[in-house]
Amino acid sequence: MIEVVLNDRLGKKVRVKCNEDDTIGDLKKLVAAQTGTRADKIRIQKWYNVYKDHITLQDYEIHDGMGLELYYN
Amino acid sequence: MANRTDPTAKNIHGTNPQNLVEKILRSKIYQNTYWKEQCFGLTAETLVDKAMELDHVGGTFGGNRRPTPFMCLVMKMLQIQPEKDIVVEFIKNEDYKYVRVLGAFYLRLTGTDTDVYQYLEPLYNDYRKLRQKLADGRFALTHVDEVIDELLTKDYSCDIAMPRIKKRWTLESIGTLEPRRSALEDDFEEEEDKEDDDQIMIDSEPDAREKDHYRGRSPARDRDRDRKRDSHRQYRERDYDRDRDHDHDRDRGRGRDRDRGRERERDRDRYRLRDDRDHGRERGRERERDDRESDRRDRDRCRRRSYSRSRSRSRSRDRKERGGDRDHRKRHGRSSASPRKHEDENGNVREESKKKKQKKPKEDGTDHPDPEIAEANRIRASLGMKPLK
């Protein structure tokens, strides 16, 4: 179980607990459950790399405590 | 400039009609090539030509969420705001199904409740196939009546949030709408007797389902909902099993809406109930030691306040409160404060070691000792994901 921090630089900072083998799509659903936006409106990036929905956190080498950028579609 | 709404256009739902589409999607549409090239200077007539060229419906697609031409035309209609009879013409035309769906979509966004139901329900009989563009760019097969059902039951479609309309049974009970007459009603006339048995079964099913949901509700609310359901059943007695596909879909849709609302309430109730249970379990030990009502009430209030915030903070706060309680006890001259102190600390230590032993999810993990993890597992279960490891 890892905990990922998502920050949208506009005041929304969210800590989400998830498994390493969850996909980005699952992570978006968890973030949506916590923030209240819709899951398909969320875009998760790291610098200019937009993370795709079907790839797992493990494959993106997202570790515990890592910060991701939260943007909106 | 080109993106401003027609100055003679009226406000829809209290706002500039283009604001029905949210900001990010709106900017994406304005920057879209299709919008800039094809949708410049369109009028109602030329819009029809463009609509006839449509070959798929959809919202946004792709990694950067490009809008489809369907979206751009919806936006154009919101911008120029055609007359209602033009929109009705769009809907009534039989030849071009995409024009029909475009008109239906626009009416759903801008029309009144009665208009929406009145004009969109006949489209339930249109079974033609439609091409729908999904979010990842692939095409999917859908039908006109499926799209209409989505428009009428859901509050989100094609990446646009639909304005709220009253539910059909509300309008029926007010009297502005007649009970729904399905087109397949006459076909099922002879099966009326056979359906009576099924009706009894179907009637008992929703009752069983709803009984579970009613656990945390007040009886007044139960009564209201039963009354509404009964009156609704009165109207739709004949239709109930007749057109099972459509009615069932809409019932399920309505039930889904109700279930969603009820689920949220239920989750809230369950969370509160679980908190109370936790309170009971941990304070049980102290209750045996301390029989003072007022002290318990004070601690209730303090504990409840602390447990409503994060766990780590509450732990330290508990310890502070327990220290405060100890002083309180000394001040009130209770005997044998010191053995109690030891018990207190041991109790504290016992609790902490229990908390440290966590991390063993059971089944779907919602009964995990650590409330944060249990909460996370509850959310995951509701989303259909496996529990945390």
Side-chain angles (χ1 to χ4, degrees), chain B residues 313-324:
Chain B
R313 260 193 279 153
S314 78
R315 240 186 267 148
S316 57
R317 216 171 268 170
D318 275 354
R319 263 185 245 122
K320 274 193 229 139
E321 272 160 19
R322 285 211 191 97

Side-chain angles (χ1 to χ4, degrees), chain B residues 59-84:
Chain B
T60 55
F61 65 95
N64 37 353
R65 316 304 296 200
R66 295 184 53 211
T68 55
F70 184 79
M71 285 275 94
C72 298
L73 286 179
V74 171
M75 192 66 173
K76 196 70 195 176
M77 286 182 84
L78 285 171
Q79 194 180 32
I80 62 178
Q81 206 173 74
E83 305 279 320
K84 186 173 157 196

Side-chain angles (χ1 to χ4, degrees), chain A residues 41 72-73, chain B residues 3 15-31 60 65 67 75 156 159-161:
Chain A
K41 295 266 175 215
Y72 299 100
N73 273 323
Chain B
N3 289 337
T15 173
N16 185 347
Q18 288 195 87
N19 289 352
L20 286 173
V21 179
E22 47 184 29
K23 185 74 166 57
I24 299 180
L25 180 56
R26 225 184 312 148
S27 348
K28 291 231 174 81
I29 292 181
Y30 291 157
Q31 293 160 6
T60 55
R65 316 304 296 200
M75 192 66 173
Y156 196 79
D159 286 341
I160 294 185

Side-chain angles (χ1 to χ4, degrees), chain B residues 118-161:
Chain B
Q118 197 183 337
Y119 289 112
L120 260 53
E121 275 186 353
L123 292 183
Y124 267 131
N125 303 328
D126 189 342
Y127 302 124
R128 287 180 287 188
K129 294 185 195 166
L130 287 178
R131 198 183 291 133
Q132 185 184 34
K133 194 143 194 172
L134 299 171
D136 47 7
R138 286 176 300 144
F139 284 106
L141 178 67
T142 182
H143 300 83
V144 175
D145 52 349
E146 281 178 47
V147 174
I148 301 293
D149 188 46
E150 210 182 276
L151 289 181
L152 284 179
T153 52
K154 301 216 178 84
D155 58 356
Y156 196 79
S157 173
C158 287
D159 286 341
I160 294 185

